[in-house]
Amino acid sequence: TARAPPPGSGRGRRGPRILAAAHELYYRHGINITGVAELCEAAHVSKRTLYQQFASKDEVIAAYLAAVAGDAGYPPHVVLRRQDLAPRARLLELYPTLAAGRRPLRGCPFVNAALEVPDPAHPAHQVAAAYKREFADRLGALAREAGARGSERVGRRLALLYDGAAAQVTLFDDPEPATEAQALAAALLRDAID
């Protein structure tokens, strides 16, 4: 799993409320544009309470990403776990998750966070990078289950298609890149399996 924030971060009574507000604000509006005051207002807590739960805004950001990484209800996790679909179908159904939800489309929270927090040493960037490495590994494992040759490489390529589509879906507020990525993923899997 993605690296979690330091032990004790946000584990108090109000930590989950702060993280829920962070999820909504950071994902919908962006990390850098969302100030601590706005976060506190949305979570209905004081700044003092926030800083009792988290040492800094950076820690809130890392905890938010770790929470998404561990959320069984996060749409890509739901699709990749579906037992009613064959492995190849699960891989292909991953792409439409990028275009689901309300507008403007926001793509992938991990890609968005890495772009907003570019310092590789930042805890949030580390959580995002760890998640994306695990994501590619998970896609590679599913590709192997589907019978793909070179499944690790296929997994990395599927992840690259996903992340590229995530960026374009967000950039253009258009679901078409997700559809295009799904078609490219189908061709990639066809070449690797058939």
Side-chain angles (χ1 to χ4, degrees):
T1 42
R3 184 185 308 181
S9 301
R11 297 190 189 202
R13 203 164 42 94
R14 294 189 180 99
R17 188 179 343 159
I18 294 166
L19 288 178
H23 186 284
E24 177 65 19
L25 293 173
Y26 292 163
Y27 185 66
R28 297 280 6 127
H29 305 292
I31 290 168
N32 293 331
I33 201 167
T34 302
V36 170
E38 187 179 3
L39 181 58
C40 289
E41 183 180 333
H44 304 291
V45 299
S46 67
K47 284 186 183 180
R48 180 175 180 230
T49 298
L50 183 135
Y51 287 121
Q52 286 172 339
Q53 300 294 311
F54 300 93
S56 64
K57 180 181 176 184
D58 289 347
E59 193 174 284
V60 176
I61 300 165
Y64 145 67
L65 291 172
V68 175
D71 181 3
Y74 177 50
H77 296 168
V78 171
V79 167
L80 294 177
R81 271 195 336 271
R82 285 185 58 183
Q83 294 303 306
D84 61 318
L85 295 176
R88 181 191 287 203
R90 278 185 264 167
L91 290 166
L92 295 177
E93 285 305 308
L94 180 64
Y95 298 91
T97 65
L98 290 168
R102 66 184 198 228
R103 305 295 277 270
L105 297 173
R106 293 291 294 140
C108 173
F110 300 97
V111 171
N112 297 347
L115 292 171
E116 286 201 66
V117 185
D119 178 4
H122 190 286
H125 194 100
Q126 291 177 354
V127 171
Y131 176 82
K132 284 302 182 177
R133 281 190 290 275
E134 292 165 11
F135 181 70
D137 290 347
R138 190 170 180 189
L139 299 186
L142 264 177
R144 185 170 38 261
E145 280 183 51
R149 297 175 301 280
S151 58
E152 284 182 26
R153 186 182 74 251
V154 169
R156 287 191 306 272
R157 289 178 175 178
L158 291 170
L160 180 64
L161 285 170
Y162 182 87
D163 292 339
Q168 287 203 355
V169 159
T170 303
L171 181 64
F172 301 119
D173 187 31
D174 184 356
E176 186 59 28
T179 303
E180 290 291 326
Q182 185 181 40
L184 291 168
L188 174 66
L189 288 169
R190 196 166 42 250
D191 289 348
I193 296 170
D194 298 337

